[in-house]
């Protein structure tokens, strides 16, 4: 789809008006919204087990993989330099490899992001988490925001989650970014990187869910500041179907400790 920026502005304004006019608190239910405890096997399938610190060592990455295999998390989410190692470590485990792209600023060129995504997939990534071009979004250059996401979606050929970095955005911009990402072929819209302050909120997840509800196959990933099972449940109830957290193991260990006390 090739549209002028003026046409994108018209479409975005209409979507913003539609979503803001929807005062319903009804969120489509999913298999995750009824999870009662971390010991529910479905819970682990919502967790992207994450280690994105720049000083992460090979030993720490190996531990991340071992934890993901033990608890059967959905994926391990890592920086590009660690993708091949993680992919090999997780081989035949059922745990996916997820790579971040344009992380954490989203300010690279579309060509660089597309190359990075293709390289990650060639190294074994099953999913891609990319950061939106935040400056272009805030400037209203929606044509560039769309083409930037579409370039990564096309290069990856695998599910792409688009990180909005909600801490920088107004509600109108969150709606705009979610809508454009859905139109560009994203599989998920995602709240935050966790590197710029802020964190996932129930209000943002609900807003993003409403923004992409017209495309049932587009989902919401909540990420940043999610360190407890209770916070995960809050995100699920608000419409999230994936959680990005570095606290997955701590949540599971806490549940095991409670179960062991009875």
């Amino acid at each position: 789809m090739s549209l002028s920026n003026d046409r994108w502005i018209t479409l975005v304004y209409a979507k913003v008006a539609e979503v803001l006019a929807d005062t319903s608190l009804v969120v489509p239910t999913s298999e995750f919204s009824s999870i009662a405890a971390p010991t529910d096997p479905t819970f682990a399938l919502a967790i992207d087990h994450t280690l994105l610190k720049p000083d992460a060592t090979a030993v720490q990455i190996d531990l991340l993989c071992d934890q993901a295999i033990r608890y059967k998390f959905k994926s391990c989410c890592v920086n590009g330099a660690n993708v091949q190692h993680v992919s090999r470590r997780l081989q035949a485990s059922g745990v996916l490899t997820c790579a971040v792209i344009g992380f954490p600023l989203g300010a690279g060129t579309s060509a660089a992001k597309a190359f990075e995504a293709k390289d990650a997939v060639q190294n074994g990534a099953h999913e891609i988490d990319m950061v939106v071009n935040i400056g272009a979004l805030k400037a209203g250059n929606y044509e560039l925001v769309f083409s930037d996401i579409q370039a990564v979606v096309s290069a990856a050929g695998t599910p792409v989650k688009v990180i909005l970095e909600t801490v920088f955005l107004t509600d109108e911009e969150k709606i705009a970014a979610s809508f454009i990402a859905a139109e560009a072929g994203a599989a998920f819209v995602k709240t935050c990187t966790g590197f710029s302050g802020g964190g996932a909120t129930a209000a943002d997840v609900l807003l993003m869910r409403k923004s992409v509800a017209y495309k049932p196959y587009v989902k919401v990933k909540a990420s940043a500041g999610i360190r407890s099972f209770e916070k995960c449940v809050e995100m699920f109830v608000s419409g999230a179907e994936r959680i990005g957290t570095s606290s997955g193991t701590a949540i599971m260990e806490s549940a095991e400790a409670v179960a062991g006390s009875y």
Side-chain angles (χ1 to χ4, degrees):
M1 178 169 58
S2 179
L3 300 175
S4 68
N5 201 58
D6 285 344
R7 179 58 179 156
W8 272 115
I9 290 172
T10 300
L11 293 173
V12 165
Y13 281 9
K15 175 57 69 173
V16 168
E18 173 193 324
V19 173
L20 292 181
D22 179 9
T23 57
S24 168
L25 294 178
V26 177
V27 180
T29 58
S30 74
E31 59 183 323
F32 305 109
S33 56
S34 60
I35 293 174
T39 50
D40 184 329
T42 305
F43 175 69
L45 296 176
I47 302 299
D48 284 346
H49 194 38
T50 303
L51 180 54
L52 297 169
K53 293 180 179 179
D55 59 347
T57 66
V59 171
Q60 291 171 322
I61 293 294
D62 283 341
L63 179 59
L64 182 85
C65 294
D66 292 343
Q67 292 167 339
I69 293 169
R70 175 183 175 185
Y71 292 114
K72 297 181 172 60
F73 292 139
K74 182 68 174 182
S75 81
C76 282
C77 192
V78 295
N79 288 301
N82 296 314
V83 166
Q84 189 174 71
H85 179 78
V86 168
S87 176
R88 290 172 177 171
R89 184 88 177 191
L90 296 175
Q91 190 171 12
S93 70
V95 179
L96 303 181
T97 301
C98 172
V100 293
I101 299 300
F103 192 90
L105 302 179
T109 65
S110 299
K113 289 181 182 178
F115 177 85
E116 194 178 359
K118 185 175 181 180
D119 180 68
V121 171
Q122 289 174 341
N123 284 327
H126 302 97
E127 295 184 338
I128 298 295
D129 285 23
M130 69 167 288
V131 184
V132 74
N133 187 322
I134 303 164
L137 175 64
K138 293 194 72 67
N141 190 346
Y142 303 135
E143 185 178 7
L144 175 56
V145 174
F146 174 83
S147 63
D148 186 63
I149 297 169
Q150 190 179 56
V152 173
V153 170
S154 297
T158 57
V160 173
K161 312 185 200 89
V162 178
I163 307 170
L164 309 190
E165 202 66 303
T166 51
V167 67
F168 293 119
L169 308 180
T170 65
D171 283 353
E172 291 79 6
E173 289 165 343
K174 293 166 193 172
I175 296 167
S178 298
F179 170 61
I180 294 169
E183 290 296 309
F188 283 80
V189 287
K190 175 179 170 182
T191 54
C192 313
T193 65
F195 279 69
S196 297
T201 68
D204 282 345
V205 168
L206 178 59
L207 187 68
M208 292 161 64
R209 183 68 187 86
K210 287 182 176 181
S211 301
V212 300
Y214 74 104
K215 286 186 181 286
Y217 55 83
V218 182
K219 302 176 181 180
V220 178
K221 175 178 174 178
S223 184
I226 303 174
R227 302 183 182 92
S228 69
F229 175 68
E230 292 73 21
K231 184 73 170 181
C232 291
V233 170
E234 184 183 0
M235 298 299 106
F236 292 144
V237 171
S238 299
E241 295 187 55
R242 191 76 66 88
I243 302 290
T245 180
S246 59
S247 299
T249 297
I251 293 170
M252 299 303 289
E253 288 176 344
S254 177
E256 288 175 341
V258 170
S261 67
Y262 289 104

